[in-house]
Amino acid sequence: MKTAIKQLLGRTIFASRLDGLLLRKAAVIVAFHRVHEAAAPDDSLSVNVEMFERHCRFFQRHFRVVRLADIVEKLERGQPFQHELAITFDDGYRDNFEHAAPVLEKLGLPATFFVVTSWMGTSVVPWWDGERGARHSWMSWDEVRTLHRKGFDIGVHTRTHADLGAVRGSEAAEEIFGAKRDLEAELGAPADLFAYPYGGRHQLSEPNRELVRAAGFRCCCSSVGGINEDGASPFDLQRVPISFWHRSPQQFGFEVALGRTRLTA
Ligand SMILES: [Zn+2]
């Protein structure tokens, strides 16, 4: 379907409050990576600042924007969802601190930042940026602590962005338990939210999902798309990745309302 039509339908669905009906017993978790001034059209991990703010205002208008921990708590207590949406970020890029956090603060919205613990404050270039000849800065630990102090949540995204569908045994334990220890030592506070790297179905083995549970995390997020319904497992939370591909918040609304956010790849 053409993007323009999706946008129109998205606007109509939300305007008519049909969204309330469609998503009544569901919670949506969105995942961003980078938010910066000039996102290239082929950069699937970025949105520009202006579009980020439009998305946030859309979330605020049509959902109850809550902390990810609130969604987890509802599942732990067996309480029904009431149209919640949580905002998350993966990896720990510095533009999250520079560009996303000020917009969130301005609008009074909570968010969770999942960080790759061994990359914060370094100049590591991950393979996906290297392939594009791109180099993006990571947050420093001081910046991560500043976000935490401002009331944002910081979660674990492993130590080295490991594929938890591939690594096993002590290597997997280091990536899960070790990253939790690292983050808690840096924050001086407990860290119990986890999102696994790459986020595809095959990128987390069941033994490693059990390690996430054993390490004391309260949740485990994928990024294959999809929404979370009452009774879902906190260790199998679905997130909708948002990128430049979403030309408008209305298009996002359309995909979510009709349950079409799941990636087929
Ligand atoms: Zn990641």
Side-chain angles (χ1 to χ4, degrees):
M1 199 183 295
K2 289 220 159 55
T3 304
I5 298 173
K6 285 183 186 172
Q7 287 184 22
L8 181 66
L9 283 174
R11 208 169 289 135
T12 309
I13 285 169
F14 280 88
S16 67
R17 300 222 148 256
L18 187 58
D19 57 317
L21 196 66
L22 290 167
L23 290 174
R24 196 175 36 189
K25 287 190 175 167
V28 179
I29 307 170
V30 295
F32 291 93
H33 284 83
R34 288 191 297 268
V35 176
H36 53 97
E37 298 290 2
D42 62 339
D43 180 354
S44 63
L45 292 182
S46 297
V47 294
N48 64 40
V49 184
E50 184 260 332
M51 181 61 85
F52 177 68
E53 181 163 343
R54 282 177 59 198
H55 274 290
C56 286
R57 290 185 183 279
F58 184 86
F59 301 152
Q60 201 162 35
R61 200 155 48 239
H62 297 291
F63 294 87
R64 295 196 320 112
V65 182
V66 298
R67 294 169 62 212
L68 174 60
D70 296 334
I71 289 177
V72 173
E73 194 169 311
K74 277 206 159 179
L75 290 172
E76 287 170 347
R77 294 181 173 188
Q79 294 170 337
F81 286 132
Q82 295 165 304
H83 215 58
E84 285 88 350
L85 180 142
I87 301 169
T88 69
F89 295 81
D90 279 6
D91 300 342
Y93 286 100
R94 175 171 280 157
D95 58 55
N96 295 179
F97 178 82
E98 286 177 339
H99 299 304
V103 172
L104 295 165
E105 283 185 272
K106 182 170 77 178
L107 300 178
L109 295 175
T112 299
F113 297 85
F114 288 105
V115 303
V116 180
T117 58
S118 77
W119 291 357
M120 296 304 96
T122 74
S123 53
V124 167
V125 178
W127 63 263
W128 58 87
D129 286 340
E131 271 182 358
R132 295 174 50 85
R135 174 177 279 270
H136 302 283
S137 302
W138 302 110
M139 288 191 272
S140 66
W141 278 115
D142 272 341
E143 288 165 340
V144 175
R145 278 187 285 272
T146 300
L147 290 181
H148 187 244
R149 201 166 50 240
K150 286 173 184 240
F152 292 111
D153 293 305
I154 313 296
V156 169
H157 197 48
T158 74
R159 251 185 183 162
T160 68
H161 211 274
D163 180 348
L164 293 178
V167 302
R168 309 187 329 180
S170 59
E171 197 183 341
E174 276 301 296
E175 293 287 351
I176 298 166
F177 286 75
K180 186 175 196 287
R181 267 198 314 274
D182 295 346
L183 181 56
E184 290 181 340
E186 292 289 351
L187 293 180
D192 54 14
L193 305 170
F194 187 86
Y196 65 94
Y198 306 108
R201 278 265 159 257
H202 59 290
Q203 277 146 338
L204 178 68
S205 66
E206 284 313 309
N208 285 345
R209 195 190 304 275
E210 283 312 307
L211 282 186
V212 171
R213 207 187 282 262
F217 289 106
R218 292 170 66 197
C219 73
C220 182
C221 298
S222 69
S223 8
V224 280
I227 59 177
N228 303 285
E229 294 182 353
D230 288 350
S233 164
F235 290 90
D236 190 17
L237 289 180
Q238 317 299 316
R239 291 189 300 167
V240 182
I242 297 194
S243 72
F244 201 86
W245 177 81
H246 291 94
R247 303 269 190 79
S248 72
Q250 284 75 24
Q251 185 196 341
F252 159 82
F254 169 79
E255 306 279 357
V256 165
L258 295 189
R260 297 255 308 258
T261 63
R262 225 169 257 285
L263 295 183
T264 47

